């Protein structure tokens, strides 16, 4: 038993690590990675279809205030909002990278600039 463990230990010491050396090596996202919802506010028409399609209630669209708000802690990355967004401009997209870590639970609000 002792010789078997010694052999395994020596083998592991001499081989390459199984895991990546993050953050020294960048993370490679696979094709099916669901990272976070991104809204291009320049193209957004604030139609609130995404708000109604979100099963988790993570989106709030306020047409009067010209704001689009997402609660990242409630979002389940199901892509219902992305699929419901009118197809001509594709304002909502699912970005493969993850949203930056938040220290507090807060809503992320984006404001549309009037043209």
């Amino acid at each position: 038993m002792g010789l078997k463990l010694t052999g395994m230990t020596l083998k592991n010491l001499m081989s390459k690590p199984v895991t990546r050396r993050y953050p020294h090596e960048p993370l490679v996202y696979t094709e099916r990675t669901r990272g976070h919802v991104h809204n291009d506010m320049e193209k957004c028409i604030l139609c609130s279809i995404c708000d109604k399609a979100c099963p988790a209630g993570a989106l709030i669209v306020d047409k009067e205030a010209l704001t689009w708000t997402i609660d990242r802690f409630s979002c389940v990355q199901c892509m219902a909002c992305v699929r419901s967004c009118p197809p001509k401009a594709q304002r909502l997209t699912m970005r493969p990278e993850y949203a930056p870590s938040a220290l507090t639970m807060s809503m992320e609000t984006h404001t549309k600039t009037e043209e």
Side-chain angles (χ1 to χ4, degrees):
M1 179 79 171
L3 290 175
K4 187 175 182 181
L5 289 176
T6 304
M8 283 177 30
T9 304
L10 288 174
K11 178 184 168 193
N12 288 332
L13 286 173
M14 301 302 169
S15 62
K16 293 175 86 174
V18 178
T19 58
R20 286 194 175 87
R21 297 191 60 215
Y22 183 80
H24 302 292
E25 291 179 22
L27 186 60
V28 178
Y29 297 102
T30 62
E31 182 181 324
R32 295 181 54 180
T33 301
R34 291 187 177 181
H36 73 281
V37 176
H38 173 75
N39 188 0
D40 185 354
M41 286 303 290
E42 297 298 318
K43 296 177 182 175
C44 185
I45 57 174
L46 298 170
C47 64
S48 73
I49 295 173
C50 58
D51 184 355
K52 292 173 182 69
C54 181
L59 299 175
I60 301 169
V61 177
D62 187 351
K63 293 178 187 179
E64 293 176 11
L66 300 175
T67 59
W68 182 86
T69 305
I70 184 167
D71 181 0
R72 297 245 181 242
F73 285 93
S74 295
C75 180
V76 293
Q77 289 89 18
C78 66
M79 293 182 61
C81 58
V82 174
R83 286 190 293 269
S84 69
C85 187
K88 288 192 177 184
Q90 285 300 316
R91 300 147 192 87
L92 282 180
T93 55
M94 185 66 80
R95 296 247 172 117
E97 68 273 0
Y98 296 108
S101 300
L103 299 176
T104 59
M105 290 181 62
S106 62
M107 306 287 267
E108 183 180 312
T109 302
H110 302 271
T111 305
K112 184 169 178 74
T113 56
E114 292 190 52
E115 296 173 22

